[in-house]
Amino acid sequence: MEPTKKFVSGDEAVAIGVKLAKPHVIAAYPITPQTIVVERLAEMVESGELESEYMYVESEHSALAAVMGASVLGARTFTATSSQGLLYMAEVLHYASGGRVPLVMMNANRSVALPWSIFGDQRDSLSLLDSGWIQVYVEDAQESLDMMLQAYAIAEHPDVLTPVMVNLDGFILTHTYECIEIPTSEQVETFLPKFEFANKMDINEPKNLFFSSSPEHNIGFKYQQHKAIENAKSVIEEIDKKYEAVTTRGYGGLVDAYKCDDADYIIITLGSITGLVRDVVEELRSEGQKVGVLKVRYMRPFPDEEIRAYTKAAKVIGVLEKDISFGYQGTVFTNVSAALRECDVQLINYVAGLGGKNIAREEIVHIYKELNDTENKSKVSAVKSQAVRFVGVEVPKDED
Amino acid sequence: MKTKLEQEEYFYGHKGCAGCGGSIAVRLALKVLGKNTLVVLPAGCMSAVGFVYPQLCFGVNALISPFASTGAMLSGLYVGAKALGLKDVNVVGFAGDGGTADIGLQALSGAIDRGDKIIYICYDNEAYMNTGVQKSSLTPYGAKTTTTPAGDRIHGGTYGRGSTSVKKDMFDIVTAHNIAYAATASIGNIPDYIRKVEKASKMQGTSYIHVAAPCPTGWGVESSDTVAIAKEAIDCGLWYLAEYEDGEYTLNRDVKEFTSVKEYLKKQNRFKHLTDEDIVAIGCQRDKKWKSLRKKAQ
């Protein structure tokens, strides 16, 4: 059988990816712009295309708790959320990672109230970076489907046993239609092993799970949790290669670098904005400018070595992100800065697209120009230029 | 009904207070349900006393759920077992009064709405005892807790008498969901409790058992008096034994002549501050409650 092609939205691509992974249990709760995922899954279960137990639950908090319950028996599960829903789950996110439950969840990146906004930015998931989940950010519908399958392989890997959150930019990706290639069930079977959970509950060998621990033991568990996410780095690379061998599509693991090797000026991105930045790089390269774009695919585990490796030649780096940690800087920027703390390179943080504000092509061009200008400025102004810059916000002169 | 319980202990070696009513409810229910049981406990006394690594005291599969998630995790276990083809397993939750009537109410309501085949047991000790006696919505009128203190300054005002709200009726709340089976029980009547747990295990849909489980530490009674005080609550009419099945109510014991409410209350430190007027008010609440109970059971 040959892979088929289909014209679908990002949400639908996720649903197809989940279907191919054949989860035993799906917990559904609606929230824009995720809802289409659980709607499509309901249709698939109803039509008999997918054999899963489909649970409608009363909240996101319950959605995640319910799939944890199913998972400890050895069931493969799925749930999806967004924004306020993800934050409502926050407690359970820590619970799942601390309990080493290999869940897979899709999150539609959406702004966080107040002000209310159903539109996209990445403040929801980035504010939960420390919840112990592996976080991957995808760029298009094809990657959305492919990463659902990879996510199960990563989460369930015995060296990892850590939940994975697959993040799609709300609307820009969840609701945009693209043509995707759907792997065959034979390909999926070759790639994705059956879920075997060594720590599962067993009637003949009863287990007491999700326990308390004394201060004496607690830090040891936390160390193991940290090691597991560090282990995920090589597992992610390995699984991506395996996926590529089966489907011909690989994503490069923790980062995806485009024309970074000799680039003087690099923009670091997260998620769907990368496509536009890549187009701008093409254009500026054709004019002879040495520019590149480095897409961070995983925020946890964080690709610090990869970022150092791909930015060796860079003079100035802009970190473009749809997030702000109020009173400091964007979270991606903070992480990138820490990775590059011993490198001789200047960094500027561009905060853009909050609450769904469009990031225009011209703004990207302008960022590359600013990166170029920064290098040519004196040290003093370079220091000033390190302040967070809000793209598309009119700032009074005295505040600049 | 089982006349002989299993010798096997499934909740053994915990650090509960002497005379803990909740631990009696858990231990007995597990003896009825047996080995093929999956247990969910939210934060609360039973998880605090029995679940600290490496001293884990459940002899059956058990887990602690997030505080608000007892119902959801029970559903997840039930649905997971169904999806994996695990047959003949009991899925049972033991949550306290706060874990049930306050923070866990949403998840419980969702589980009943889905009709999942689970048994939810609320062991009611009438306050947040694990954190040191704070009022829950199942704390009875007049009871003194650390968040509803009784004191001279405000005594006589609305907030001087300890808890001033009337205990929520969880039995009414769950029966309003058209649940498959609901019952109130008490460790003051163990044969009745055992019968109800056994019945719940045979139901096809969701079961809810609300078991009164006194807490000597929080109530201020002798640790040897747990069962006696639970019994007295039934005798004086401040607790009742009832069932709901197929839309029908049964009052298991229609108490014809109540014993003294005052005597019941005055045995407990938490009610020591009550005036005669308060006690009369509690008696009136009781009479009103029984009027409605008798009407429903007709």
Side-chain angles (χ1 to χ4, degrees):
Chain A
M1 228 173 85
E2 288 296 304
T4 48
K5 294 207 166 173
K6 206 171 175 185
F7 189 59
V8 297
S9 69
D11 273 345
E12 288 169 334
V14 168
I16 294 167
V18 171
K19 181 189 79 175
L20 291 169
K22 297 183 182 164
H24 299 97
V25 174
I26 296 163
Y29 191 78
I31 183 168
T32 305
Q34 168 281 120
T35 312
I36 295 166
V37 178
V38 293
E39 285 180 341
R40 291 297 170 270
L41 286 167
E43 289 164 13
M44 290 167 183
V45 173
E46 187 54 39
S47 71
E49 231 180 301
L50 170 60
E51 268 186 54
S52 291
E53 288 292 330
Y54 188 92
M55 303 173 74
Y56 53 90
V57 290
E58 65 289 344
S59 77
E60 290 92 350
H61 193 280
S62 284
L64 200 54
V67 291
M68 275 183 80
S71 185
V72 296
L73 291 172
R76 180 176 283 164
T77 68
F78 177 73
T79 191
T81 191
S82 179
S83 179
Q84 312 296 132
L86 182 71
L87 298 187
Y88 192 39
M89 285 178 174
E91 173 198 19
V92 196
L93 291 177
H94 285 264
Y95 218 84
S97 62
R100 305 294 298 278
V101 186
L103 305 174
V104 169
M105 177 167 75
M106 173 267 195
N107 178 53
N109 280 126
R110 166 181 145 178
S111 194
V112 174
L114 286 171
W116 276 98
S117 168
I118 58 165
F119 299 107
D121 67 36
Q122 292 158 333
R123 292 199 298 122
D124 55 357
S125 54
L126 288 173
S127 74
L128 288 160
L129 207 52
D130 295 337
S131 63
W133 283 55
I134 290 170
Q135 285 196 2
V136 60
Y137 293 76
V138 299
E139 187 184 329
D140 56 29
Q142 183 70 60
E143 193 183 359
S144 303
L145 182 156
D146 293 335
M147 284 317 298
M148 295 318 300
L149 292 168
Q150 288 203 23
Y152 284 104
I154 296 162
E156 294 166 5
H157 193 286
D159 295 342
V160 179
L161 288 180
T162 294
V164 176
M165 187 192 300
V166 181
N167 292 281
L168 278 76
D169 280 306
F171 289 107
I172 292 173
L173 181 44
T174 58
H175 284 59
T176 300
Y177 279 71
E178 295 175 271
C179 191
I180 59 162
E181 188 177 296
I182 302 171
T184 64
S185 49
E186 291 76 22
Q187 284 177 315
V188 175
E189 266 165 44
T190 310
F191 167 73
L192 186 63
K194 204 169 157 267
F195 178 33
E196 298 288 353
F197 193 21
N199 304 330
K200 71 179 180 190
M201 284 185 166
D202 186 325
I203 296 296
N204 297 315
E205 263 183 77
K207 307 220 173 35
N208 287 189
L209 302 172
F210 310 161
F211 42 71
S212 303
S213 79
S214 65
E216 182 56 30
H217 296 104
N218 194 288
I219 194 168
F221 287 119
K222 294 296 124 186
Y223 170 75
Q224 289 180 24
Q225 211 181 323
H226 177 63
K227 285 307 282 182
I229 302 198
E230 289 212 316
N231 293 342
K233 283 188 177 182
S234 60
V235 172
I236 285 165
E237 305 272 349
E238 186 188 303
I239 283 170
D240 191 56
K241 285 201 180 86
K242 188 177 169 191
Y243 194 80
E244 188 173 10
V246 177
T247 66
T248 73
R249 284 186 303 280
Y251 293 92
L254 296 164
V255 297
D256 174 54
Y258 185 70
K259 303 208 167 160
C260 287
D261 291 345
D262 66 338
D264 292 333
Y265 313 111
I266 291 175
I267 295 182
I268 292 181
T269 57
L270 190 66
S272 64
I273 192 63
T274 314
L276 180 63
V277 180
R278 210 182 277 118
D279 283 352
V280 172
V281 166
E282 282 282 359
E283 188 184 308
L284 297 180
R285 280 269 171 183
S286 73
E287 293 166 11
Q289 296 190 43
K290 286 162 81 177
V291 293
V293 53
L294 181 63
K295 176 173 74 164
V296 171
R297 298 187 65 239
Y298 285 82
M299 278 301 290
R300 288 292 179 272
F302 192 69
D304 54 343
E305 286 170 44
E306 290 75 6
I307 289 172
R308 280 195 291 276
Y310 284 108
T311 58
K312 263 188 190 140
K315 291 171 180 160
V316 190
I317 296 171
V319 177
L320 174 63
E321 61 186 301
K322 299 177 186 176
D323 164 69
I324 176 72
S325 177
F326 302 107
Y328 196 34
Q329 50 199 196
T331 299
V332 183
F333 185 78
T334 305
N335 281 268
V336 169
S337 302
L340 297 175
R341 65 192 174 279
E342 284 169 10
C343 303
D344 184 24
V345 61
Q346 291 194 58
L347 293 164
I348 304 177
N349 191 190
Y350 292 93
V351 171
L354 298 187
K357 187 171 167 58
N358 185 48
I359 303 173
R361 200 191 134 278
E362 303 73 51
E363 286 169 334
I364 310 283
V365 173
H366 184 74
I367 289 172
Y368 276 115
K369 187 174 176 300
E370 276 195 349
L371 299 183
N372 188 319
D373 291 348
T374 302
E375 194 209 339
N376 301 322
K377 280 183 188 166
S378 70
K379 280 255 176 205
V380 180
S381 59
V383 169
K384 199 182 170 194
S385 75
Q386 287 182 3
V388 178
R389 297 182 185 181
F390 276 70
V391 177
V393 177
E394 293 278 342
V395 181
K397 275 273 173 267
D398 58 345
E399 286 179 19
D400 193 14
Chain B
M1 184 190 137
K2 288 197 184 199
T3 49
K4 214 171 162 196
L5 287 175
E6 277 194 40
Q7 284 296 306
E8 189 72 29
E9 295 291 347
Y10 298 108
F11 183 50
Y12 184 74
H14 62 80
K15 304 182 286 187
C17 304
C20 168
S23 67
I24 297 174
V26 173
R27 176 171 170 252
L28 291 173
L30 290 179
K31 277 176 176 280
V32 175
L33 299 172
K35 186 182 158 207
N36 289 10
T37 301
L38 312 173
V39 178
V40 175
L41 309 130
C45 287
M46 290 308 108
S47 56
V49 303
F51 236 107
V52 184
Y53 177 88
Q55 292 165 303
L56 303 165
C57 71
F58 279 82
V60 289
N61 288 289
L63 60 80
I64 309 181
S65 71
F67 206 177
S69 301
T70 314
M73 280 222 172
L74 287 169
S75 281
L77 283 169
Y78 163 69
V79 170
K82 195 175 158 197
L84 294 165
L86 294 175
K87 298 235 159 45
D88 302 320
V89 287
N90 295 305
V91 180
V92 64
F94 296 101
D97 43 287
T100 299
D102 294 343
I103 195 168
L105 189 56
Q106 173 176 279
L108 169 60
S109 178
I112 304 172
D113 178 51
R114 286 183 293 271
D116 294 335
K117 184 179 160 20
I118 58 169
I119 307 168
Y120 189 112
I121 299 180
C122 170
Y123 65 95
D124 181 5
N125 52 29
E126 304 195 320
Y128 289 88
M129 296 310 187
N130 183 42
T131 41
V133 198
Q134 292 80 31
K135 179 199 152 54
S136 78
S137 59
L138 297 188
T139 299
Y141 178 87
K144 177 181 75 176
T145 71
T146 58
T147 49
T148 53
D152 288 341
R153 192 171 68 82
I154 45 175
H155 190 89
T158 321
Y159 292 98
R161 296 184 166 96
S163 179
T164 51
S165 58
V166 176
K167 188 179 170 82
K168 247 187 217 178
D169 195 317
M170 280 303 302
F171 183 66
D172 281 351
I173 290 171
V174 299
T175 56
H177 286 69
N178 282 322
I179 192 169
Y181 177 66
T184 59
S186 168
I187 60 156
N189 188 338
I190 285 168
D192 176 76
Y193 173 56
I194 288 171
R195 180 181 65 80
K196 287 169 177 172
V197 174
E198 200 181 359
K199 192 165 179 182
S201 72
K202 299 201 168 93
M203 300 306 297
Q204 281 317 304
T206 312
S207 299
Y208 175 88
I209 298 173
H210 195 107
V211 57
C215 166
T217 312
W219 290 19
V221 297
E222 288 298 322
S223 58
S224 53
D225 287 346
T226 311
V227 171
I229 199 83
K231 223 173 156 80
E232 201 171 337
I234 303 167
D235 293 340
C236 77
L238 290 182
W239 190 237
Y240 62 95
L241 303 177
E243 282 172 292
Y244 172 93
E245 197 185 342
D246 288 335
E248 298 289 326
Y249 290 87
T250 311
L251 200 48
N252 300 117
R253 188 177 154 212
D254 190 355
V255 185
K256 297 294 175 215
E257 208 169 312
F258 296 122
T259 57
S260 159
V261 161
K262 186 173 180 174
E263 266 181 44
Y264 167 76
L265 295 172
K266 287 296 181 185
K267 277 179 188 156
Q268 307 171 47
N269 279 338
R270 60 177 178 155
F271 294 119
K272 280 267 155 52
H273 59 286
L274 295 184
T275 61
D276 285 344
E277 193 194 358
D278 296 330
I279 291 165
V280 169
I282 291 170
C284 289
Q285 288 168 12
R286 174 198 64 191
D287 294 343
K288 207 172 148 195
K289 181 81 206 169
W290 276 85
K291 206 176 156 191
S292 112
L293 282 171
R294 285 177 179 130
K295 206 171 158 190
K296 273 189 204 153
Q298 260 171 16

